[in-house]
Amino acid sequence: MPPRERTFDARLRPEVHDDLKNLPTHRLQKIAILRIQNLVYGDERGTELMGTADPDLTGCRRLYFDEIPRLARWRIVYRELPAARPGALPVIQVLAVGPRAQMDVYERAALRLGLLDPEDMS
């Protein structure tokens, strides 16, 4: 079987490594990494964020994950960026990984994009 070809390059914000390490179980960490790999290989695509909430993350996407799939308490927030040069792959930029509870992951993504002041964090 030939190796799969990537659809995107992956770029994780430096803080995302800590986000992954701070997930409460090793299994959640593995699931999150697998879901990011699925994005890179084009096997799945998250739901577009439409700016209906505060913070406004229009242009970003979210992907749900959990150890218990029907609960989906955790999110990967990312955006798709164009290729940096002709012939290069477009980019999946992972902004934040964390709990949906109290909008935590969305606030961290907005903070990392400079859309939210740290003092505005709940």
Side-chain angles (χ1 to χ4, degrees), residues 7-113:
T7 305
F8 294 91
D9 274 335
R11 301 279 186 271
L12 278 63
R13 296 261 327 186
E15 305 94 338
V16 170
H17 297 283
D18 289 332
D19 291 351
L20 291 167
K21 282 189 248 175
N22 290 327
L23 291 171
T25 68
H26 183 67
R27 185 161 183 240
L28 272 175
Q29 293 169 358
K30 288 173 66 175
I31 292 168
I33 291 167
L34 178 62
R35 300 301 296 270
I36 292 168
Q37 287 175 341
N38 287 346
L39 290 170
V40 168
Y41 284 98
D43 294 336
E44 59 186 314
R45 195 168 188 211
T47 306
E48 194 172 348
L49 296 169
M50 301 296 239
T52 57
D54 189 34
D56 182 355
L57 290 169
T58 299
C60 295
R61 294 179 169 273
R62 69 176 167 222
L63 192 63
Y64 307 119
F65 71 100
D66 205 312
E67 292 171 313
I68 304 167
R70 68 181 173 276
L71 293 181
R73 297 169 289 188
W74 303 89
R75 305 285 188 271
I76 298 166
V77 178
Y78 71 96
R79 61 185 178 172
E80 297 174 1
L81 301 173
R85 64 188 187 293
L89 293 174
V91 173
I92 292 287
Q93 182 188 39
V94 180
L95 302 168
V97 176
R100 190 283 181 211
Q102 292 152 354
M103 302 295 283
D104 179 78
V105 72
Y106 301 114
E107 288 181 351
R108 283 191 278 142
L111 181 67
R112 293 170 186 175
L113 287 171

